[in-house]
Amino acid sequence: AYCIKGTFVHATDSSPIEILQNHIMGVNSKGKIEFLEHAREQLKLAKKWRFSESDIRELGSHEFCMPGMVDTHIHAPQYSFSGTALDLPLLEWLDKYTFPTEKKYKEVDFAKNIYTSIVRRTLRNGTTTACYFATIYTDSSLLLAEIAHNYGQRAFVGKVCMDINNFVPNYKETTDESIAETERFVKTFLERKYCRVKPIITPRFAVSCSEKLLQELGELAIIHGTHIQSHISEADGEINLVKTLFPNYKNYTDVYDKNKLLTDKTVMAHGCYLSDEELAIFRERGAAISHCPNSNISLCSGHLDVRKVLEHKVKLGLGTDVAGGYSPSMLDAFRRTMDMSKVLYIQHELGQKIDCSSLYSPRGNQQTMPASKALPNKKEKYTALTYKEAFRLATLGGSQALNIDDVTGNFQVGKEFDAILVSPCVPDGPLDVFADDTVEDIVQKFLYLGDDRNIKEVYVAGKQVVPLPNA
Ligand code: GUN
Ligand code: FE
């Protein structure tokens, strides 16, 4: 048990950023937040919570604690080529770079090095919870879980399921293998009794799964009460394939929904092209979307209108989607989210100022694409996200998307202490603080300019996990 005194910054349902200065937080021996109160009555607090002056750790000037960030979508095996291979659209990218790389993870020794690197890298960048895709290989996927556990990261780990692969035919399973191996994966996982690392059922996406496989995975998720993750409506080539492969379904969402894969423990990556009708189903099921802006831009997939998703009251978190997204850092996901939202705002404003219907329709033929369809409604106001909203999405939003907001996501009393200690002023660091900066300015500077040099310590469930042990 320990106490921290200083500035705490977090999101709540009612406020996207709440800044609590001169507060004392008590963390109990179970790693849970016991109290968080103003320090003005320190003596009274000390008596009530039975701590003494010497139990208190006081943060340095400008330092603050914020909740650890939640990466709701990341492919651990793809880390080996992150920062490269961003020159093709999704399906070609999977074919040329991704599947051949993931095939190598049949070798557990090969996997170990890269899985260790990604867990260390994300932790160092303040990701206290990560929702991982592994590969189709059960044993190396179990190893990823073991590594996350050993480093103390909170995680979901999914053994990827795919019984169709027309691109790299030897990177797939038979339907029966995929089901049996998923069962073995979940069972072995549960026997290991990790506290904070959980299995997640992972059909790669509708394109790579037969109807039977989807159906069986839906059943398995019910039997074991597990979480579910996949991809949805990311890019147009993919969406067209789904239409051809699943002609009897109403839309992409219906493919997952009818097979019981849309639950309140489901997180689906991307959703760029989901219709209002589909978003309404997400809302009804309590299923969440993982917004991965770096990936959407890097693979030229499309864009998600986060404002629209929030208005539909669909749960939403942010994801790096390494390696479709090139950065493993959630600070990058925060920044891309802001950029993307502002681009949508610019488009909307442009639509209001000039009649660019000819711009949007091929060869200026307005009949093939009416301006009213191509452009946002001129009378509607579009509000870009504020940085505070994006901060909430990177923390509390992610925990809600993964349905773990009863345990983590902010500093509500009773939750586990998942946090990063931010030190804005480090020698030769990435940002400068000046005399007239407010605390809010400093927080904002960290979010936009900071990096792992400013993340001095990281805690998961009260336990310090960064600085990392030597590799
Ligand atoms: N859709 C199916 N597999 C993948 C993947 O590995 N990355 C992304 N971004 N989309 C996918
Ligand atoms: Fe992905």
Side-chain angles (χ1 to χ4, degrees):
Y2 49 86
C3 293
I4 301 171
K5 181 176 177 179
T7 301
F8 297 84
V9 179
H10 72 156
T12 64
D13 283 324
S14 56
S15 167
I17 283 193
E18 188 171 67
I19 296 179
L20 306 166
Q21 290 183 74
N22 193 26
H23 272 56
I24 299 181
M25 176 188 279
V27 177
N28 67 24
S29 55
K30 288 182 180 144
K32 291 187 175 171
I33 300 166
E34 187 102 11
F35 62 90
L36 175 57
E37 298 191 35
H38 200 282
R40 74 171 76 81
E41 308 224 47
Q42 189 167 319
L43 285 176
K44 253 191 180 168
L45 282 178
K47 213 168 160 196
K48 182 172 171 198
W49 298 104
R50 281 187 259 134
F51 63 85
S52 65
E53 189 91 19
S54 60
D55 297 330
I56 303 177
R57 163 173 184 192
E58 203 156 332
L59 300 184
S61 80
H62 302 316
E63 289 187 340
F64 63 90
C65 276
M66 63 170 260
M69 291 174 280
V70 181
D71 188 342
T72 56
H73 185 80
I74 176 166
H75 297 261
Q78 296 173 21
Y79 183 52
S80 65
F81 68 94
S82 71
T84 72
L86 299 166
D87 57 336
L88 290 172
L90 176 64
L91 298 178
E92 287 87 342
W93 174 84
L94 286 171
D95 170 23
K96 184 167 174 194
Y97 305 115
T98 308
F99 293 149
T101 301
E102 289 189 16
K103 233 188 100 42
K104 299 181 189 166
Y105 287 75
K106 195 166 183 180
E107 301 301 326
V108 173
D109 281 341
F110 175 84
K112 188 174 176 188
N113 177 31
I114 296 156
Y115 284 168
T116 302
S117 299
I118 182 75
V119 169
R120 292 174 64 90
R121 176 68 62 194
T122 53
L123 268 179
R124 185 144 36 114
N125 279 280
T127 301
T128 48
T129 302
C131 190
Y132 289 111
F133 272 59
T135 65
I136 66 172
Y137 307 112
T138 306
D139 293 317
S140 65
S141 302
L142 286 166
L143 177 67
L144 172 58
E146 182 78 19
I147 293 168
H149 169 77
N150 287 341
Y151 276 97
Q153 190 172 45
R154 192 185 297 280
F156 291 92
V157 176
K159 171 228 165 299
V160 173
C161 295
M162 45 195 295
D163 62 349
I164 298 173
N165 187 344
N166 296 324
F167 307 110
V168 181
N170 53 5
Y171 183 57
K172 70 169 179 193
E173 321 149 282
T174 66
T175 311
D176 290 344
E177 267 168 5
S178 191
I179 296 158
E181 283 298 291
T182 300
E183 262 196 297
R184 180 166 82 84
F185 177 73
V186 172
K187 281 189 179 147
T188 313
F189 211 114
L190 297 178
E191 279 162 17
R192 294 187 181 175
K193 296 195 191 315
Y194 301 130
C195 298
R196 280 169 278 276
V197 183
K198 301 220 152 62
I200 181 165
I201 302 267
T202 305
R204 178 165 215 126
F205 64 158
V207 172
S208 61
C209 298
S210 65
E211 191 177 37
K212 168 142 191 268
L213 179 56
L214 293 175
Q215 214 170 47
E216 298 273 343
L217 293 176
E219 293 298 331
L220 274 184
I222 293 171
I223 292 168
H224 296 286
T226 40
H227 280 66
I228 298 164
Q229 64 180 346
S230 191
H231 298 89
I232 195 167
S233 224
E234 175 179 3
D236 90 326
E238 169 211 12
I239 294 165
N240 291 333
L241 259 182
V242 172
K243 277 187 196 143
T244 334
L245 294 168
F246 297 89
N248 299 325
Y249 290 86
K250 231 189 324 184
N251 49 47
Y252 203 155
T253 301
D254 199 38
V255 175
Y256 293 132
D257 191 37
K258 288 260 161 59
N259 292 296
K260 303 186 186 156
L261 291 162
L262 272 196
T263 73
D264 62 0
K265 286 178 166 176
T266 296
V267 58
M268 288 284 169
H270 309 297
C272 303
Y273 298 93
L274 292 174
S275 63
D276 287 334
E277 189 189 356
E278 290 176 281
L279 287 170
I281 299 293
F282 267 76
R283 163 99 198 268
E284 256 175 59
R285 302 290 180 261
I289 292 174
S290 170
H291 175 42
C292 307
N294 190 319
S295 168
N296 294 158
I297 297 164
S298 294
L299 300 182
C300 297
S301 301
H303 51 247
L304 178 72
D305 186 343
V306 170
R307 179 62 69 205
K308 185 171 86 172
V309 174
L310 294 179
E311 281 167 359
H312 273 275
K313 297 203 174 351
V314 172
K315 295 188 295 183
L316 185 93
L318 305 186
T320 57
D321 196 23
V322 162
Y326 56 77
S327 171
S329 164
M330 283 297 293
L331 287 171
D332 173 86
F334 162 88
R335 291 163 199 167
R336 294 314 137 230
T337 296
M338 291 306 297
D339 292 351
M340 197 66 250
S341 181
K342 287 181 180 183
V343 167
L344 289 179
Y345 174 75
I346 293 168
Q347 275 189 352
H348 183 89
E349 289 293 291
L350 261 181
Q352 291 199 316
K353 284 199 187 108
I354 51 170
D355 179 5
C356 44
S357 51
S358 61
L359 238 166
Y360 280 78
S361 57
R363 294 173 302 278
N365 182 347
Q366 297 193 17
Q367 259 148 3
T368 55
M369 192 186 276
S372 60
K373 244 192 159 172
L375 295 169
N377 185 334
K378 289 187 178 185
K379 288 186 195 94
E380 271 173 33
K381 193 170 145 51
Y382 190 85
T383 322
L385 292 179
T386 62
Y387 88 88
K388 296 181 181 185
E389 288 179 296
F391 168 83
R392 174 155 63 188
L393 293 177
T395 54
L396 185 60
S399 73
Q400 290 166 337
L402 298 177
N403 204 342
I404 50 171
D405 53 313
D406 55 336
V407 198
T408 185
N410 66 7
F411 293 147
Q412 196 182 313
V413 168
K415 289 193 186 184
E416 298 186 4
F417 183 59
D418 288 3
I420 66 185
L421 169 56
V422 178
S423 213
C425 308
V426 288
D428 299 318
L431 64 93
D432 291 303
V433 171
F434 299 112
D436 58 352
D437 282 339
T438 63
V439 175
E440 196 185 309
D441 291 335
I442 294 170
V443 171
Q444 194 173 354
K445 281 186 175 184
F446 166 68
L447 293 171
Y448 275 109
L449 301 169
D451 62 31
D452 58 340
R453 285 170 287 181
N454 303 109
I455 300 178
K456 207 161 105 178
E457 295 170 16
V458 178
Y459 293 82
V460 176
K463 183 173 170 267
Q464 191 174 340
V465 294
V466 170
L468 294 161
N470 290 329

